[in-house]
Amino acid sequence: MQIEMFRLPKFLRRRMALVKPKRFPDQEAYAAFFDARARLLAGDDMDILEYPDRETQKHIFSRAISLAKLEGRTILDVGCGLGYLKGFLDEQGITYKSYLGVDLSKAMVRGAKERFGEFFAWRDVLSDPFPENSFDVVFLISVLGYPIGEDPEAYMKKLLTTLFRFTREAFVFTHLMPGRRDEPSDFTYPPEKLLEWCRTALSPHAKALVEDPPWVTYYVAVYKDPQTMPGGIEPGLI
């Protein structure tokens, strides 16, 4: 006998999608939040992942991947969610050497495997880090944005420092621009300030891509060497 998974009525699902804690005590609580979203909002991946729609997600992916050379590269996708970056790279016909997506949410990892195959794993990269220079390119997309821990800025910088050690060429991540939307749960950070920190603490070879309103997301790429920067200059690159 097949038992169907319980689905909340649509109006309750919409309400649930808007529930956002103002702060998480630690990253485990952050992961548990997405475990719960995966269960309660099953059937609407964009709601689970907090994208307004698929086109917005694709726009963010396209901007992020434009900041790194990917052909023939090994890729690590931290905070991979349901694995949509893997799907997007394949849709674009990018011939990367390998891809690995990792996430703290076990529900996200299960969902990613169901959608895109066995390219995903549960891993806490802070307590169980990869060796230095393990991957050519590391992505952290649509992960930063909630305050985590007693000092969210310190947590963010610890995570960014750790992830930069994993890359041989480029580390690309996104963050939220201050003042562009009214969300009490948002942890925003000025791009100029974050870029300055990256150039001081990680590598002098760093760029930020900032788009005009209404876009809330901005992009930072940090390179081990200027030779690993992709060619061409994007509008809004600083």
Side-chain angles (χ1 to χ4, degrees):
M1 177 179 176
Q2 185 176 7
I3 300 175
E4 293 188 4
M5 182 179 293
F6 172 72
R7 289 173 62 87
L8 291 172
K10 187 174 182 179
F11 78 96
L12 284 179
R13 291 165 60 80
R14 297 307 305 170
R15 287 187 182 182
M16 277 298 306
L18 298 174
V19 173
K20 297 182 179 183
K22 292 183 178 180
R23 179 182 295 271
F24 292 97
D26 50 42
Q27 62 179 13
E28 288 73 24
Y30 182 53
F33 171 66
F34 281 96
D35 283 340
R37 290 182 72 88
R39 182 175 67 254
L40 295 171
L41 301 175
D44 193 331
D45 288 359
M46 295 302 104
D47 269 352
I48 293 171
L49 299 169
E50 300 189 302
Y51 287 105
D53 50 59
R54 184 81 172 94
E55 291 308 307
T56 298
Q57 185 194 56
K58 286 184 175 181
H59 176 88
I60 290 172
F61 286 167
S62 67
R63 289 292 185 265
I65 70 171
S66 74
L67 297 174
K69 297 178 180 179
L70 300 182
E71 298 290 338
R73 266 61 173 192
T74 58
I75 297 171
L76 175 65
D77 179 13
V78 179
C80 63
L82 293 173
Y84 275 88
L85 178 61
K86 169 73 167 62
F88 183 78
L89 294 172
D90 293 342
E91 287 174 6
Q92 300 302 305
I94 296 172
T95 55
Y96 51 85
K97 184 176 182 180
S98 66
Y99 168 96
L100 174 63
V102 298
D103 205 289
L104 268 175
S105 164
K106 293 180 180 179
M108 292 291 114
V109 173
R110 284 195 302 271
K113 288 182 176 181
E114 290 170 0
R115 289 159 178 77
F116 300 104
E118 298 293 319
F119 301 95
F120 308 91
W122 181 91
R123 189 161 182 148
D124 180 348
V125 295
L126 291 179
S127 65
D128 183 19
F130 292 98
E132 290 193 28
N133 304 315
S134 295
F135 301 88
D136 294 318
V137 180
V138 176
F139 287 110
L140 182 75
I141 300 178
S142 301
V143 174
L144 301 177
Y146 277 108
I148 298 175
E150 294 184 3
D151 187 342
E153 182 176 2
Y155 173 83
M156 172 190 74
K157 290 179 177 179
K158 179 181 179 181
L159 180 60
L160 297 179
T161 300
T162 299
L163 298 186
F164 186 63
R165 294 193 190 110
F166 301 162
T167 184
R168 285 186 290 266
E169 295 188 7
F171 170 39
V172 180
F173 64 93
T174 65
H175 213 315
L176 301 180
M177 176 74 75
R180 290 199 177 172
R181 71 178 184 186
D182 184 21
E183 288 278 358
S185 61
D186 278 354
F187 167 56
T188 62
Y189 207 86
E192 297 83 2
K193 185 178 178 181
L194 187 51
L195 186 60
E196 180 182 2
W197 176 83
C198 287
R199 287 171 173 167
T200 301
L202 303 182
S203 167
H205 314 299
K207 298 287 185 181
L209 176 59
V210 180
E211 298 186 290
D212 293 333
W215 294 106
V216 179
T217 298
Y218 67 90
Y219 312 81
V220 178
V222 191
Y223 306 94
K224 287 287 179 77
D225 186 281
Q227 298 299 318
T228 62
M229 294 182 182
I233 300 296
E234 286 271 0
L237 203 60
I238 58 177

PDB file of all heavy atoms in Angstrom, residues 130-144:
ATOM      1  N   PHE A 130      38.147  20.290   3.815  1.00  0.00           N
ATOM      2  CA  PHE A 130      38.930  19.645   2.769  1.00  0.00           C
ATOM      3  C   PHE A 130      40.392  20.103   2.883  1.00  0.00           C
ATOM      4  O   PHE A 130      40.664  21.181   3.424  1.00  0.00           O
ATOM      5  CB  PHE A 130      38.392  20.025   1.390  1.00  0.00           C
ATOM      6  CG  PHE A 130      37.030  19.477   1.084  1.00  0.00           C
ATOM      7  CD1 PHE A 130      35.890  20.258   1.259  1.00  0.00           C
ATOM      8  CD2 PHE A 130      36.881  18.190   0.597  1.00  0.00           C
ATOM      9  CE1 PHE A 130      34.631  19.759   0.969  1.00  0.00           C
ATOM     10  CE2 PHE A 130      35.631  17.677   0.294  1.00  0.00           C
ATOM     11  CZ  PHE A 130      34.499  18.466   0.500  1.00  0.00           C
ATOM     12  N   PRO A 131      41.328  19.331   2.345  1.00  0.00           N
ATOM     13  CA  PRO A 131      42.721  19.794   2.301  1.00  0.00           C
ATOM     14  C   PRO A 131      42.846  21.070   1.467  1.00  0.00           C
ATOM     15  O   PRO A 131      42.008  21.349   0.602  1.00  0.00           O
ATOM     16  CB  PRO A 131      43.463  18.623   1.638  1.00  0.00           C
ATOM     17  CG  PRO A 131      42.582  17.435   1.846  1.00  0.00           C
ATOM     18  CD  PRO A 131      41.175  17.961   1.819  1.00  0.00           C
ATOM     19  N   GLU A 132      43.889  21.837   1.715  1.00  0.00           N
ATOM     20  CA  GLU A 132      44.113  23.051   0.943  1.00  0.00           C
ATOM     21  C   GLU A 132      44.295  22.719  -0.535  1.00  0.00           C
ATOM     22  O   GLU A 132      44.838  21.671  -0.894  1.00  0.00           O
ATOM     23  CB  GLU A 132      45.339  23.799   1.465  1.00  0.00           C
ATOM     24  CG  GLU A 132      45.128  24.435   2.832  1.00  0.00           C
ATOM     25  CD  GLU A 132      46.224  25.412   3.192  1.00  0.00           C
ATOM     26  OE1 GLU A 132      46.827  25.994   2.268  1.00  0.00           O
ATOM     27  OE2 GLU A 132      46.473  25.594   4.401  1.00  0.00           O
ATOM     28  N   ASN A 133      43.806  23.633  -1.378  1.00  0.00           N
ATOM     29  CA  ASN A 133      43.962  23.509  -2.830  1.00  0.00           C
ATOM     30  C   ASN A 133      43.348  22.222  -3.389  1.00  0.00           C
ATOM     31  O   ASN A 133      43.884  21.623  -4.321  1.00  0.00           O
ATOM     32  CB  ASN A 133      45.445  23.588  -3.215  1.00  0.00           C
ATOM     33  CG  ASN A 133      46.111  24.859  -2.725  1.00  0.00           C
ATOM     34  OD1 ASN A 133      45.552  25.951  -2.850  1.00  0.00           O
ATOM     35  ND2 ASN A 133      47.292  24.722  -2.138  1.00  0.00           N
ATOM     36  N   SER A 134      42.205  21.811  -2.836  1.00  0.00           N
ATOM     37  CA  SER A 134      41.562  20.569  -3.278  1.00  0.00           C
ATOM     38  C   SER A 134      40.763  20.742  -4.559  1.00  0.00           C
ATOM     39  O   SER A 134      40.529  19.766  -5.269  1.00  0.00           O
ATOM     40  CB  SER A 134      40.631  20.050  -2.181  1.00  0.00           C
ATOM     41  OG  SER A 134      41.339  19.670  -1.035  1.00  0.00           O
ATOM     42  N   PHE A 135      40.300  21.967  -4.838  1.00  0.00           N
ATOM     43  CA  PHE A 135      39.424  22.217  -5.981  1.00  0.00           C
ATOM     44  C   PHE A 135      39.926  23.441  -6.745  1.00  0.00           C
ATOM     45  O   PHE A 135      40.521  24.346  -6.165  1.00  0.00           O
ATOM     46  CB  PHE A 135      37.985  22.460  -5.524  1.00  0.00           C
ATOM     47  CG  PHE A 135      37.399  21.315  -4.757  1.00  0.00           C
ATOM     48  CD1 PHE A 135      37.555  21.230  -3.380  1.00  0.00           C
ATOM     49  CD2 PHE A 135      36.702  20.305  -5.406  1.00  0.00           C
ATOM     50  CE1 PHE A 135      37.017  20.169  -2.660  1.00  0.00           C
ATOM     51  CE2 PHE A 135      36.171  19.240  -4.696  1.00  0.00           C
ATOM     52  CZ  PHE A 135      36.335  19.176  -3.320  1.00  0.00           C
ATOM     53  N   ASP A 136      39.622  23.470  -8.029  1.00  0.00           N
ATOM     54  CA  ASP A 136      39.987  24.651  -8.820  1.00  0.00           C
ATOM     55  C   ASP A 136      39.100  25.841  -8.473  1.00  0.00           C
ATOM     56  O   ASP A 136      39.584  26.963  -8.319  1.00  0.00           O
ATOM     57  CB  ASP A 136      39.877  24.341 -10.318  1.00  0.00           C
ATOM     58  CG  ASP A 136      40.880  23.302 -10.774  1.00  0.00           C
ATOM     59  OD1 ASP A 136      42.048  23.369 -10.346  1.00  0.00           O
ATOM     60  OD2 ASP A 136      40.487  22.404 -11.541  1.00  0.00           O
ATOM     61  N   VAL A 137      37.799  25.590  -8.383  1.00  0.00           N
ATOM     62  CA  VAL A 137      36.835  26.668  -8.138  1.00  0.00           C
ATOM     63  C   VAL A 137      35.895  26.255  -7.018  1.00  0.00           C
ATOM     64  O   VAL A 137      35.396  25.123  -7.001  1.00  0.00           O
ATOM     65  CB  VAL A 137      36.016  26.982  -9.413  1.00  0.00           C
ATOM     66  CG1 VAL A 137      35.024  28.111  -9.143  1.00  0.00           C
ATOM     67  CG2 VAL A 137      36.939  27.352 -10.577  1.00  0.00           C
ATOM     68  N   VAL A 138      35.641  27.187  -6.101  1.00  0.00           N
ATOM     69  CA  VAL A 138      34.699  26.963  -5.002  1.00  0.00           C
ATOM     70  C   VAL A 138      33.595  28.011  -5.098  1.00  0.00           C
ATOM     71  O   VAL A 138      33.874  29.206  -5.253  1.00  0.00           O
ATOM     72  CB  VAL A 138      35.401  27.059  -3.628  1.00  0.00           C
ATOM     73  CG1 VAL A 138      34.382  26.921  -2.499  1.00  0.00           C
ATOM     74  CG2 VAL A 138      36.484  25.987  -3.506  1.00  0.00           C
ATOM     75  N   PHE A 139      32.340  27.558  -5.004  1.00  0.00           N
ATOM     76  CA  PHE A 139      31.184  28.457  -4.994  1.00  0.00           C
ATOM     77  C   PHE A 139      30.484  28.402  -3.643  1.00  0.00           C
ATOM     78  O   PHE A 139      30.384  27.338  -3.011  1.00  0.00           O
ATOM     79  CB  PHE A 139      30.170  28.049  -6.074  1.00  0.00           C
ATOM     80  CG  PHE A 139      30.586  28.366  -7.473  1.00  0.00           C
ATOM     81  CD1 PHE A 139      30.938  27.348  -8.363  1.00  0.00           C
ATOM     82  CD2 PHE A 139      30.620  29.673  -7.930  1.00  0.00           C
ATOM     83  CE1 PHE A 139      31.317  27.627  -9.660  1.00  0.00           C
ATOM     84  CE2 PHE A 139      30.999  29.973  -9.233  1.00  0.00           C
ATOM     85  CZ  PHE A 139      31.350  28.938 -10.102  1.00  0.00           C
ATOM     86  N   LEU A 140      29.974  29.555  -3.226  1.00  0.00           N
ATOM     87  CA  LEU A 140      29.086  29.681  -2.063  1.00  0.00           C
ATOM     88  C   LEU A 140      27.980  30.639  -2.496  1.00  0.00           C
ATOM     89  O   LEU A 140      28.122  31.858  -2.391  1.00  0.00           O
ATOM     90  CB  LEU A 140      29.852  30.223  -0.852  1.00  0.00           C
ATOM     91  CG  LEU A 140      29.072  30.372   0.445  1.00  0.00           C
ATOM     92  CD1 LEU A 140      28.826  29.009   1.101  1.00  0.00           C
ATOM     93  CD2 LEU A 140      29.802  31.288   1.435  1.00  0.00           C
ATOM     94  N   ILE A 141      26.881  30.089  -2.992  1.00  0.00           N
ATOM     95  CA  ILE A 141      25.842  30.905  -3.634  1.00  0.00           C
ATOM     96  C   ILE A 141      24.551  30.867  -2.813  1.00  0.00           C
ATOM     97  O   ILE A 141      24.045  29.790  -2.482  1.00  0.00           O
ATOM     98  CB  ILE A 141      25.576  30.413  -5.070  1.00  0.00           C
ATOM     99  CG1 ILE A 141      26.859  30.505  -5.901  1.00  0.00           C
ATOM    100  CG2 ILE A 141      24.455  31.227  -5.725  1.00  0.00           C
ATOM    101  CD1 ILE A 141      26.706  29.986  -7.319  1.00  0.00           C
ATOM    102  N   SER A 142      24.030  32.057  -2.515  1.00  0.00           N
ATOM    103  CA  SER A 142      22.755  32.200  -1.789  1.00  0.00           C
ATOM    104  C   SER A 142      22.788  31.481  -0.447  1.00  0.00           C
ATOM    105  O   SER A 142      21.801  30.858  -0.038  1.00  0.00           O
ATOM    106  CB  SER A 142      21.589  31.695  -2.652  1.00  0.00           C
ATOM    107  OG  SER A 142      21.516  32.411  -3.869  1.00  0.00           O
ATOM    108  N   VAL A 143      23.908  31.562   0.239  1.00  0.00           N
ATOM    109  CA  VAL A 143      24.054  30.985   1.572  1.00  0.00           C
ATOM    110  C   VAL A 143      24.166  32.088   2.612  1.00  0.00           C
ATOM    111  O   VAL A 143      23.449  32.089   3.622  1.00  0.00           O
ATOM    112  CB  VAL A 143      25.281  30.053   1.643  1.00  0.00           C
ATOM    113  CG1 VAL A 143      25.506  29.581   3.078  1.00  0.00           C
ATOM    114  CG2 VAL A 143      25.104  28.857   0.710  1.00  0.00           C
ATOM    115  N   LEU A 144      25.064  33.040   2.400  1.00  0.00           N
ATOM    116  CA  LEU A 144      25.196  34.151   3.336  1.00  0.00           C
ATOM    117  C   LEU A 144      23.954  35.034   3.256  1.00  0.00           C
ATOM    118  O   LEU A 144      23.428  35.282   2.171  1.00  0.00           O
ATOM    119  CB  LEU A 144      26.444  34.971   3.009  1.00  0.00           C
ATOM    120  CG  LEU A 144      27.777  34.211   3.036  1.00  0.00           C
ATOM    121  CD1 LEU A 144      28.909  35.149   2.611  1.00  0.00           C
ATOM    122  CD2 LEU A 144      28.042  33.628   4.414  1.00  0.00           C
TER     123      LEU A 144
END
